[in-house]
Each structure stands twice: as structure tokens, then as C-alpha cells.
Amino acid sequence: MSMNEIDTDYLIIGAGAFGLSFADSLLDHGDGHITFVDQHAKPGGHWNVAYPFVTLHQPSATYGINSMSLGDDLMDTDGPNKGLYKLATGTQVLGYFERAMQERFIPSGRVSYYPMSKYEEGANGEHTIVSSISGKKTRVNIRRKLVDSSAW
């Protein structure tokens, strides 16, 4: 059985805040093709496994990718955050990253996304994406840079 093969300029391991922010800048200031490989079913990095009660520790307006705002710039009217910009919940952050992937990255025509997949580097420096579901392998030829934005 032959292995599929793709070419990309940037292979980004992990579709969390760092990887998505890097790709967002590449879309605005570059011309290369970007491929994401991520172990989770949806973009969002550690937010996929965070406790459901976790919120941002900073105002939503200052988090995420530059091209798409998170939140609506509303102030909290009660509680310990009263008078300050709202803090997004984990569910809101995950929804935001999913929207970014579906509304910004994929439609650009310059991004490929391999969710529920792992990255493997071979002994000879070859790069491979392995589906966690099917085990299907795809060899990746990187023209510019491998970017490891994974947390583990």
C-alpha cells in the first residue's frame, strides 16, 4: 500500500492558541501553504481537555488571533470581575477556535487541517501525519518550516 504525500510550506503541530496565531500572521503577511496536524478532534489546544469551569484569566478582547475578536467587548456588571471586560469560558474559547478554523483558515485555500492525527518524525528526517482513527499515513514534504506548537 502506497503512502499519500503532500507538500506544504509550514507544518504546524498543534491547533491551539499559539499555532493558530502563528498561522493567522502567515495568512496576513505571507504567501505560503499551511498544514495543521492536531491530536484533538477540534482546534483549541488544551481547552479541549480543560475543566469545564475554567475561564480565561485575561479579558476576552485580548485573547486569540489578531484577525478575529473573541467576545463582544462587554463589561461584567457583577461578581469579582465587575467593571472589567468579560472573561470567556472554556466552551466559548473552543467555539471561537472552531469558528476561526472554519471561517478563516480553511476558506483561505492555503490551509489544510488534519484533526485527530499525530505527527511522526522518521530517523531520516521524514515527516509523517498518522490518523488516530484509521492509522492512515501521509508523508509531508515541508518547503519552509516545521513549527511545534504542541503542549506535549
Side-chain angles (χ1 to χ4, degrees), residues 10-132:
Y10 299 92
L11 176 59
I12 301 176
I13 304 167
F18 170 70
L20 293 173
S21 293
F22 179 72
D24 190 51
S25 293
L26 287 174
L27 285 180
D28 284 343
H29 305 290
D31 61 355
H33 185 270
I34 302 159
T35 300
F36 282 101
V37 57
D38 192 79
Q39 66 182 342
H40 300 293
K42 295 193 177 274
H46 76 280
W47 290 100
N48 282 290
V49 293
Y51 297 106
F53 58 84
V54 174
T55 62
L56 284 176
H57 293 91
Q58 67 190 60
S60 299
T62 64
Y63 187 78
I65 62 174
N66 287 334
S67 65
M68 186 177 195
S69 98
L70 169 62
D72 46 19
D73 291 336
L74 294 177
M75 300 285 196
D76 273 331
T77 57
D78 55 10
N81 203 46
K82 182 178 180 177
L84 303 173
Y85 286 107
K86 291 186 177 258
L87 305 176
T89 66
T91 302
Q92 290 168 324
V93 172
L94 282 172
Y96 166 78
F97 285 134
E98 177 69 10
R99 279 192 320 279
M101 185 61 77
Q102 298 304 323
E103 296 174 11
R104 163 98 167 126
F105 294 108
I106 302 293
S108 74
R110 293 175 43 207
V111 174
S112 298
Y113 176 47
Y114 290 79
M116 299 203 60
S117 298
K118 304 262 183 183
Y119 167 76
E120 290 181 356
E121 184 172 0
N124 296 326
E126 62 272 3
H127 308 282
T128 306
I129 296 171
V130 181
S131 169
S132 298

Side-chain angles (χ1 to χ4, degrees), residues 125-145:
E126 62 272 3
H127 308 282
T128 306
I129 296 171
V130 181
S131 169
S132 298
I133 304 294
S134 68
K136 178 182 169 186
K137 294 185 176 189
T138 302
R139 177 172 290 129
V140 183
N141 299 312
I142 303 171
R143 293 185 287 256
R144 295 185 185 168
K145 193 77 175 164

